[in-house]
Amino acid sequence: MTLVRLALALLASATLAAPALAQDGTLKKIKDSGSITIGHRDASIPFSYYDDKQQPVGYAMDLCHRIVDAVRAELKMPKIDIKYQLVTSANRIPLMANGTIDLECGSTTNNLDRQKQVWFTITHFVTANRYMAKKSAKLRTLEDLKGKTVVSTAGTTNIKQITELNVQKNLGASILSANGHPEAFLMVETGRAAAFVMDDILLYSLVATSKSPGDYAISTDALSVEPYGIMVRKDDVAFKKVVDAAMVNTYKSGAINGIYSKWFLRPVPPKGINLNVPMGEAFKKVVASPTDSGDPAAYK
């Protein structure tokens, strides 16, 4: 059962308790404080990052602003303030769990393991785990990483997976942890690592905005399927209902097409780079039939 169905089932079985439920959790927190806190990233282009004015922008940020509008309507509070909190791959889940942030708007993979700590709204992108290396290194397959130094970002599903594959495939690779995507990319750029394992869409954006895009190649081998979701607190059924409805409306109304084109098919700030990544078949299926599934098989 997906989280959407679970949420609907719980609401259906607790009709009499609905008025009290609506006053609990994140909705009550927002109503009492008059504000909502969005967790964002600093360099996850084009999902969530700083522009040249140090303002958080991006595809996920646009979706989160639509969610905030839905929360304002639900609470009948047109003047809810938005607060922004910078998060990292390593601290985003703890900051959600402890109440510091109310929405995490970035490039976070929704999987079954993470659902034990947080919940996710409707998937907003589907990517794959691949690796980037210098073309001159000729690292075309996973086997080519044998004995190499490989880097990934701390707190991501990517570093967990490459660590597991390193053991399973007996690669004998040295796995390094970076504090952020730019640091990991720099390690390959400067020769401290041979390859950087990360979601392919983030690798494409990092290569496109680098000093010498033509120097790098991204593997054709996909190590996994990664559905991205906006995080909310676990077990907060009332808030998730509002958030999910906002996302479904964005898809069903067709608004998602303009938002997607803005960030993936047109030049994006601050450098005016066009990633030119058309909507993939897996995400088209999500738009047609919205899901919050953390099972990779649901996207194949």
Side-chain angles (χ1 to χ4, degrees), residues 29-85:
K29 177 177 179 287
I30 295 168
K31 187 173 184 179
D32 290 348
S33 67
S35 66
I36 184 170
T37 302
I38 291 179
H40 67 89
R41 304 299 298 276
D42 61 351
S44 286
I45 300 172
F47 297 92
S48 180
Y49 65 100
Y50 282 133
D51 64 11
D52 54 358
K53 297 178 181 178
Q54 290 297 290
Q55 296 298 312
V57 298
Y59 171 71
M61 296 299 295
D62 281 3
L63 293 174
C64 276
H65 287 135
R66 290 182 66 92
I67 290 171
V68 173
D69 287 341
V71 172
R72 289 189 178 112
E74 175 71 17
L75 296 177
K76 298 178 174 59
M77 293 176 63
K79 293 185 179 181
I80 292 174
D81 293 327
I82 299 177
K83 297 181 179 180
Y84 296 102
Q85 172 67 52

Side-chain angles (χ1 to χ4, degrees), residues 3 23-24 105 142 171 178 206 229 260 262 275 280:
L3 293 179
Q23 298 302 310
D24 293 334
C105 310
L142 185 63
L171 298 178
L206 288 164
Y260 187 96
K262 173 184 174 182
L275 298 178

Side-chain angles (χ1 to χ4, degrees), residues 16 39 92 98 115 135 141 156 179 182 188 193 210 217 236 300:
L16 295 177
R92 56 191 169 182
N98 71 17
Q115 286 178 14
K135 288 181 179 178
T141 69
T156 62
N179 291 324
V188 175
S210 68
D236 197 334
K300 295 180 179 179

Side-chain angles (χ1 to χ4, degrees), residues 171-273:
L171 298 178
S174 177
I175 311 297
L176 300 182
S177 173
N179 291 324
H181 305 325
E183 179 181 299
F185 187 91
L186 181 62
M187 291 175 72
V188 175
E189 186 178 47
T190 57
R192 293 167 58 198
F196 172 23
V197 176
M198 185 45 55
D199 300 336
D200 57 11
I201 185 60
L202 299 180
L203 293 177
Y204 290 134
S205 68
L206 288 164
V207 169
T209 55
S210 68
K211 297 174 184 176
S212 303
D215 290 350
Y216 304 97
I218 296 170
S219 67
T220 54
D221 287 351
L223 308 182
S224 69
V225 175
E226 306 283 328
Y228 285 174
I230 292 166
M231 282 198 298
V232 297
R233 262 179 290 286
K234 188 176 183 293
D235 300 325
D236 197 334
V237 175
F239 185 61
K240 182 168 165 38
K241 179 184 177 184
V242 175
V243 173
D244 284 351
M247 291 292 291
V248 171
N249 179 63
T250 298
Y251 293 176
K252 295 301 183 183
S253 68
I256 187 61
N257 296 315
I259 298 171
Y260 187 96
S261 294
K262 173 184 174 182
W263 294 102
F264 294 97
L265 298 174
R266 300 173 192 162
V268 299
K271 296 183 178 181
I273 299 295

Side-chain angles (χ1 to χ4, degrees), residues 127-202:
T127 184
N129 187 15
R130 302 181 195 270
Y131 62 87
M132 177 277 298
K134 288 185 176 179
K135 288 181 179 178
S136 58
K138 298 180 180 180
L139 304 179
R140 296 186 177 90
T141 69
L142 185 63
E143 294 298 315
D144 292 334
L145 297 181
K146 280 190 174 182
K148 304 295 184 183
T149 297
V150 178
V151 65
S152 191
T153 307
T156 62
T157 56
N158 313 80
I159 195 166
K160 180 175 182 290
Q161 185 179 57
I162 191 59
T163 299
E164 292 172 349
L165 286 172
N166 191 33
V167 175
Q168 294 170 8
K169 303 291 186 180
N170 194 29
L171 298 178
S174 177
I175 311 297
L176 300 182
S177 173
N179 291 324
H181 305 325
E183 179 181 299
F185 187 91
L186 181 62
M187 291 175 72
V188 175
E189 186 178 47
T190 57
R192 293 167 58 198
F196 172 23
V197 176
M198 185 45 55
D199 300 336
D200 57 11
I201 185 60
L202 299 180

